[in-house]
Amino acid sequence: MFRSRVVPLFVKKNSKDLYNLWGKTPSRVLNEESFRLFSTGATRKCLDGFRSLSKGNYVPSIRNMSTVASVGIENKEGLKLLVNGGPRAQKMVGIWLFGSAAWVFSMVILGGITRLTRSGLSMTDWKFTGGLPPLSDEDWLLEFGKYKQSPEFKRVNRGMSIEDFKFIYWMEYAHRMWGRALGIMFALPFSYFLRKGYITVQLGLRLSALFGLGAGQGLIGWWMVKSGLEEPASEYAQPRVSPYRLAAHLTSAFAIYCGLLWTGLSVVMPEPPSESLAWVRGAAKVKQLALPVSLLVGVTAVSGAFVAGNDAGHAYNTFPKMGDTWIPEDVFDMKPLIRNFFENTSTVQLDHRILATATLFSIGALWWSTRKFDIHPAVRSLIGSAVGVAGLQVTLGISTLLSYVPVELGTAHQAGALTLLTLIILLNHTLRRPSPYLLKSLPQVAKTI
């Protein structure tokens, strides 16, 4: 009668210890657990469970039991879980999302190296699916011939050898193929988790949007490169990609990274760390201060894209003054006035200096203002880490400027921007408000050891 090894429905309503009853016959369960069940007031639930069993109502497997249990917890606590299937599914999806975010991080760094080595314009055509690199000397001569027709070769690299061309070509080819590999690495697990039923509708829509943005990133990249293959307006100007398109490309990459990171955190940490109502109130106060600081960090990062797009790091390689003055005379030379903030080399660098300094002081002010707040140690640690990374980032920026933008320091500076953005995302995610059910269960003050 009991060879099917079923579990009565009351298991999903009782304590976690009852999961250990799996594998025992109901008679042994009653013999071994009767005293404990009577003493805990669970007798009626046990009897109801066996009545349900006699009527054929049962959960056929542990897998289904855990799914039902997770749904019950979701309804009871008011949580909006993004993943079905229990803790193991949450862990798998979380690892996948964090891995995808790390891949995007590496893409941004590789893109920075490609730009700093002036490799981005080496490939003069583009295919959505990509293709094989040159495999013979004839293929290399053909690609080199295409590059010789570009404005960059004619005005900057006229004396370039084919060996030098191979280096910049491989850099750009690696950047493009690394992005396509990310698309495959994202799409295959996504399809698998959808088939397994782990992905909820809310998570599916969010990830579909991120996947679409990632696919569009390739189009934005080619749109950016194409602007650098056109003849400059002035015969004295060096060919470069449009600063607007470069900023769009980099901002889109930042958005994808932040979206993946935030979603991964929401999967593995549905509730913020909260052990008392005092800490929740403290987190709410910190959040009011952290939001404008976060906006400033984002604006500063985007302004760095315009510095890169205008090669503004190669001008005024002095600090704190810009040359012999604090403010260059030509900061408002362009008409209309708004163009200066995006196309004027002097203005773009001045803006980035001001924004970077304001970011450092605002994060420092956030740390100073929250010193006496009653907040979770994780929040305090993240704020302290943000202060340290912001200080390091400003130091890297100044060193990069004074050294005339070497590839190593320029790459480190770009990585520092994304690291600071990571800490800001972690901080804001940790400052979320807990669910109503968790709020009701929290004590007024956290327990101290």
Side-chain angles (χ1 to χ4, degrees):
M1 176 179 177
F2 296 105
R3 290 179 183 175
S4 60
R5 301 175 70 179
V6 297
V7 179
L9 283 178
F10 73 88
V11 170
K12 71 176 183 180
K13 298 180 181 179
N14 274 320
S15 66
K16 188 176 180 180
D17 293 337
L18 291 181
Y19 285 67
N20 298 325
L21 303 183
W22 180 255
K24 301 179 182 180
T25 62
S27 59
R28 287 185 62 189
V29 169
L30 287 179
N31 291 333
E32 294 176 10
E33 302 292 331
S34 58
F35 178 79
R36 186 179 67 81
L37 293 174
F38 272 94
S39 63
T40 57
T43 310
R44 181 173 298 176
K45 294 182 180 180
C46 294
L47 295 176
D48 291 343
F50 280 106
R51 291 192 187 100
S52 299
L53 175 63
S54 64
K55 296 178 180 179
N57 298 325
Y58 58 89
V59 181
S61 67
I62 285 184
R63 177 180 171 187
N64 289 338
M65 179 186 69
S66 62
T67 303
V68 174
S70 67
V71 173
I73 292 174
E74 177 180 349
N75 293 334
K76 181 179 180 182
E77 297 187 0
L79 290 176
K80 296 181 179 179
L81 299 179
L82 294 177
V83 174
N84 297 319
R88 182 174 179 273
Q90 284 180 314
K91 182 178 180 181
M92 291 174 62
V93 175
I95 291 174
W96 164 58
L97 290 174
F98 289 138
S100 299
W103 199 303
V104 175
F105 192 108
S106 68
M107 276 288 300
V108 173
I109 303 307
L110 183 58
I113 297 174
T114 303
R115 177 184 56 79
L116 290 168
T117 55
R118 299 190 69 93
S119 304
L121 300 179
S122 59
M123 296 179 67
T124 57
D125 53 14
W126 183 81
K127 296 179 181 179
F128 185 79
T129 57
L132 293 175
L135 300 176
S136 65
D137 292 341
E138 291 77 11
D139 293 340
W140 278 113
L141 289 174
L142 179 61
E143 290 297 328
F144 194 27
K146 294 179 182 178
Y147 179 66
K148 287 181 177 180
Q149 303 303 316
S150 68
E152 184 178 67
F153 178 83
K154 295 176 181 178
R155 301 195 182 192
V156 181
N157 293 329
R158 180 173 290 275
M160 173 177 280
S161 67
I162 191 168
E163 294 302 321
D164 293 333
F165 170 72
K166 287 181 180 180
F167 172 78
I168 63 173
Y169 187 94
W170 279 120
M171 288 297 304
E172 176 64 11
Y173 183 82
H175 181 56
R176 295 189 186 188
M177 297 309 295
W178 198 244
R180 292 182 175 96
L182 171 61
I184 297 173
M185 180 262 191
F186 185 88
L188 291 181
F190 187 27
S191 302
Y192 171 78
F193 292 138
L194 277 175
R195 184 175 180 181
K196 297 287 288 185
Y198 294 164
I199 307 295
T200 61
V201 174
Q202 181 183 358
L203 180 60
L205 292 174
R206 190 183 302 184
L207 294 179
S208 297
L210 289 173
F211 183 75
L213 188 59
Q217 185 69 338
L219 296 174
I220 296 174
W222 171 243
W223 178 58
M224 175 189 71
V225 169
K226 192 175 180 181
S227 66
L229 298 175
E230 300 172 354
E231 289 289 342
S234 171
E235 60 177 332
Y236 303 104
Q238 286 192 4
R240 63 165 69 108
V241 300
S242 165
Y244 298 99
R245 299 186 187 187
L246 189 147
H249 189 53
L250 187 60
T251 303
S252 177
F254 281 178
I256 294 171
Y257 173 76
C258 293
L260 288 170
L261 180 61
W262 184 278
T263 305
L265 290 170
S266 299
V267 166
V268 301
M269 193 172 67
E271 292 277 26
S274 305
E275 297 180 21
S276 70
L277 292 175
W279 282 356
V280 172
R281 288 191 289 268
K285 295 179 182 178
V286 175
K287 188 174 183 179
Q288 292 179 344
L289 301 174
L291 286 177
V293 174
S294 303
L295 180 61
L296 184 58
V297 170
V299 172
T300 304
V302 174
S303 74
F306 283 98
V307 172
N310 289 279
D311 283 337
H314 292 92
Y316 301 106
N317 298 99
T318 57
F319 191 86
K321 287 185 176 182
M322 299 180 68
D324 296 327
T325 62
W326 290 98
I327 301 177
E329 296 179 356
D330 60 343
V331 290
F332 295 132
D333 278 2
M334 289 186 174
K335 304 296 179 184
L337 183 65
I338 191 66
R339 286 182 57 199
N340 291 282
F341 297 96
F342 305 105
E343 301 176 38
N344 188 323
T345 300
S346 301
T347 312
V348 166
Q349 190 187 124
L350 177 62
D351 286 346
H352 193 59
R353 291 185 182 210
I354 294 173
L355 287 170
T357 305
T359 298
L360 176 61
F361 279 105
S362 66
I363 295 177
L366 176 65
W367 172 80
W368 181 266
S369 302
T370 58
R371 286 179 308 122
K372 297 182 180 180
F373 283 10
D374 190 7
I375 53 179
H376 196 282
V379 176
R380 197 175 301 280
S381 176
L382 285 171
I383 295 174
S385 299
V387 173
V389 172
L392 177 61
Q393 177 67 349
V394 170
T395 303
L396 282 172
I398 296 173
S399 301
T400 302
L401 184 68
L402 297 179
S403 304
Y404 293 86
V405 197
V407 175
E408 298 80 4
L409 285 177
T411 303
H413 187 54
Q414 186 158 316
L418 204 52
T419 302
L420 181 58
L421 198 59
T422 300
L423 289 173
I424 295 300
I425 293 295
L426 285 169
L427 176 61
N428 282 279
H429 195 273
T430 306
L431 294 174
R432 291 172 304 142
R433 183 175 177 81
S435 65
Y437 180 83
L438 180 58
L439 284 174
K440 293 178 182 178
S441 64
L442 293 176
Q444 287 292 331
V445 181
K447 297 180 180 178
T448 57
I449 301 177

